[in-house]
Amino acid sequence: SIRPEVLGTHVDIMPTLLSLAAAPSGTDTSTAICDMDGENLAPLLLEKSTPEDRPRRSMVLIEYIGLGPVIRYQHQEDAYNNTFVALRLIDPTLPKGWQNIKYVEYRDCRYDWNFTNEAKEYELFDLAMDPFEMTNIYSSASKELLARLQKVLRELYTCAGESC
C-alpha cells in the first residue's frame, strides 16, 4: 500500500533492503543498520511498525543543479535556471497547512551555484490539499511560515556531519 506519511530518501534504501533481506533468515542486522545514515523503513512498508519505528526525519533537503540547455528529442529538458534547493516536510504535529508541504527556491547556477543570493523564484505547495502541485501558495503564505522554512532550509543546506 502507499504510505504518504513516510518521508524517505535514497540513503534509506540500503538499511531498508538489508533489513528486508535478513528478515527471512532471522539474521540480526540492527548493528549494521544503526551505523548507516539512512533509516530502516521496512517495518513501515510492511505495516508492522510500532511507535518507535516511526521515522526520526520529518524533513528532507533536496538539491538540484540545472545542466544548462539540454535538448532531447527536439525538446529542451533542462536549463541553468532550473537550479533549486527544496525542503520537503511531513509533520502531523504542525498546524494545519504546514503538515505536508514542499518549499522550493530557484536560482541560476551560472551566477549562484552555492545558493547565497536571493532566489529568482519561489514555490510553496500544501501537498495535503494540492498533491499535484498545481497551485503555488507562496504569495499567500504567512510571513511566519516563510521565515521558518527559509531558516530551516539554510540550516540544512549549510550543516555538516553531526550538526545535520
Side-chain angles (χ1 to χ4, degrees), residues 7-158:
L7 191 58
T9 184
H10 66 286
V11 297
D12 300 325
I13 294 172
M14 189 59 174
T16 302
L17 289 178
L18 186 59
S19 175
L20 290 170
S25 68
T27 305
D28 181 16
T29 58
S30 59
T31 304
I33 290 173
C34 76
D35 290 337
M36 296 181 182
D37 287 336
E39 296 184 38
N40 174 13
L41 301 178
L44 297 169
L45 297 173
L46 298 172
E47 297 183 358
K48 295 179 179 178
S49 62
T50 62
E52 50 279 352
D53 291 324
R54 300 302 309 154
R56 298 178 304 256
R57 178 188 317 115
S58 63
M59 61 188 76
V60 172
L61 176 72
I62 305 164
E63 304 172 61
Y64 179 75
I65 304 291
L67 301 172
V70 174
I71 310 293
R72 291 192 184 112
Y73 310 108
Q74 301 171 348
H75 174 74
Q76 183 166 333
E77 297 200 5
D78 205 354
Y80 293 116
N81 64 358
N82 190 32
T83 297
F84 63 86
V85 288
L87 184 64
R88 182 68 176 90
L89 181 105
I90 297 178
D91 189 344
T93 65
L94 292 174
K96 187 172 180 166
W98 294 24
Q99 296 176 352
N100 186 1
I101 57 177
K102 184 171 99 175
Y103 171 72
V104 188
E105 296 182 358
Y106 287 92
R107 292 171 168 74
D108 187 320
C109 68
R110 295 172 294 183
Y111 311 110
D112 190 18
W113 60 271
N114 60 351
F115 304 101
T116 54
N117 298 324
E118 182 73 18
K120 302 285 185 197
E121 186 175 336
Y122 298 90
E123 289 181 345
L124 177 63
F125 299 100
D126 178 353
L127 298 176
M129 300 299 292
D130 181 17
F132 299 109
E133 301 177 16
M134 302 300 287
T135 305
N136 182 358
I137 59 172
Y138 178 84
S139 61
S140 63
S142 72
K143 290 186 193 288
E144 177 191 3
L145 174 60
L146 295 176
R148 186 170 175 180
L149 291 171
Q150 289 170 349
K151 180 181 183 290
V152 170
L153 186 68
R154 296 291 164 276
E155 288 171 356
L156 286 175
Y157 184 74
T158 58

